[in-house]
Amino acid sequence: MTQKVAVLGTGKIGEALLSGMIRAGWAPEDLLVTARRPERAEELRARHGVTPVGNTEAAKTADTLILTVKPQDMGALLDELAPHIPADRLVISGAAGIPTAFLEERLAKGTPVVRVMTNTPALVDEAMSVISPGTHATQEHLATAEDIFGAVGKTLRVPEGQQDACTALSGSGPAYFFYLVEAMTDAGILLGLPRDKAHDLIVQSAIGAAVMLRDSGEHPVKLRENVTSPAGTTINAIRELENHGVRAALIAALEAARDRSRELASGTKD
Ligand SMILES: NC(=O)C1=CN([C@@H]2O[C@H](COP(=O)(O)OP(=O)(O)OC[C@H]3O[C@@H](n4cnc5c(N)ncnc54)[C@H](OP(=O)(O)O)[C@@H]3O)[C@@H](O)[C@H]2O)C=CC1
Ligand SMILES: O=C(O)[C@@H]1CCC=N1
């Protein structure tokens, strides 16, 4: 029998996942979506051919429910859904910070819950999604989550205790790279290059570096050393990065992201 999957709270992440599932072969008629605004629901139907429904109908009919609302909206959504979700349905949470226990406390006793942290490269099938089981989730439930999120990139199972760290690294990770590209493009402008050329140079360098990191099998230190000639240009840049504490800033930044993920666990922190 065909399995129905519902994405509830279909914003940026929900739509990225949905579009990837369709690219990977899911039939749009087996995908249900919910949105808070009617115009958003219609937009999703027009773009993807999926069926917009209310949260209650999704709760009653879907075999797997994927909740992709903001952490602060999770409590209200669960209150609305809980009376309608049969306890044998899989509920996947994609929200930062929210522990599986938060869902288990609000859903029918024994409901299987899986927590997933993905990232926006899902839009180009290059997501990194980390997956953790709740108390009642079996290997089969984890495999279902892997099947769904595997449609948009790589998946990795981690103990739930590592989810906040993973959120800081890969969930937020793409933003740090976009930020670096933005700053390096500004540097190109300072050095006299037109913005579009500076952008192209940096983006292609980022792609080249990313492919080498993925495919060369070399440690990042070795890859950097290969660029860094004695008395050359690169070492002068590296000295400035060290002088400005960029390494320490990155460690502090990711620690702050991890702490914020922990803080979001209550589902109420604005
Ligand atoms: N953006 C990212 O890079 C990542 C985000 N996440 C997590 O994914 C989740 C979603 O993030 P993101 O997609 O960026 O956020 P969005 O705000 O784009 O998406 C959330 C959507 O949920 C809708 N919504 C809220 N409450 C309800 C409700 N009760 N019923 C139906 N729809 C509802 C919102 O409607 P409205 O448009 O009206 O507000 C919105 O469209 C978050 O929990 C976040 O932590 C995880 C990994 C990466
Ligand atoms: O910034 C956030 O809270 C979300 C979670 C990970 C990426 N974006």
Side-chain angles (χ1 to χ4, degrees):
M1 210 181 70
T2 321
Q3 295 282 303
K4 291 232 182 278
V5 175
V7 179
L8 293 94
T10 318
K12 289 182 284 296
I13 283 293
E15 186 175 7
L17 179 62
L18 186 73
S19 64
M21 289 173 75
I22 295 169
R23 283 193 297 280
W26 261 265
E29 51 274 23
D30 296 328
L31 300 175
L32 308 174
V33 294
T34 83
R36 194 151 48 182
R37 291 167 293 112
E39 66 273 22
R40 174 65 179 157
E42 276 318 307
E43 192 173 75
L44 293 164
R45 186 207 297 275
R47 276 191 203 149
H48 305 290
V50 292
T51 310
V53 293
N55 286 330
T56 306
E57 189 183 338
K60 286 177 182 162
T61 47
D63 300 285
T64 300
L65 293 100
I66 308 171
L67 314 187
T68 53
V69 295
K70 294 282 185 202
Q72 296 86 343
D73 290 327
M74 191 58 95
L77 179 63
L78 287 167
D79 288 345
E80 188 185 348
L81 299 176
H84 307 289
I85 306 179
D88 62 343
R89 305 300 157 84
L90 170 60
V91 179
I92 299 177
S93 166
I98 301 287
T100 53
F102 184 98
L103 283 87
E104 288 167 354
E105 281 159 16
R106 288 163 177 81
L107 295 169
K109 211 169 160 29
T111 304
V113 174
V114 169
R115 176 172 169 185
V116 180
M117 175 49 51
T118 188
N119 62 15
T120 57
L123 280 167
V124 293
D125 298 339
E126 291 289 354
M128 182 68 245
S129 304
V130 288
I131 297 180
S132 308
T135 315
H136 310 293
T138 62
Q139 292 298 320
E140 202 181 323
H141 296 123
L142 286 170
T144 301
E146 283 168 343
D147 202 28
I148 291 171
F149 284 85
V152 292
K154 278 193 171 187
T155 64
L156 179 71
R157 291 186 192 187
V158 299
E160 188 168 7
Q162 292 177 2
Q163 276 277 350
D164 294 315
C166 294
T167 300
L169 263 75
S170 56
S172 300
Y176 316 144
F177 290 107
F178 298 138
Y179 176 89
L180 281 178
V181 167
E182 194 190 320
M184 289 164 83
T185 304
D186 275 351
I189 290 162
L190 181 80
L191 302 183
L193 295 173
R195 179 170 288 277
D196 57 342
K197 288 209 172 57
H199 174 85
D200 289 353
L201 293 176
I202 293 300
V203 169
Q204 181 54 29
S205 300
I207 292 169
V211 172
M212 287 175 78
L213 283 165
R214 188 188 61 191
D215 296 346
S216 70
E218 293 284 7
H219 192 281
V221 169
K222 174 81 173 110
L223 295 174
R224 181 170 61 75
E225 280 174 359
N226 288 344
V227 187
T228 311
S229 310
T233 59
T234 314
I235 193 62
N236 277 275
I238 300 286
R239 180 179 58 183
E240 289 305 315
L241 292 172
E242 296 296 352
N243 280 343
H244 287 86
V246 172
R247 184 183 295 262
L250 283 170
I251 292 170
L254 270 69
E255 196 177 28
R258 189 274 317 268
D259 292 348
R260 179 60 182 155
S261 182
R262 283 182 178 164
E263 216 175 64
L264 289 168
S266 70
T268 55
K269 293 265 196 275
D270 282 337

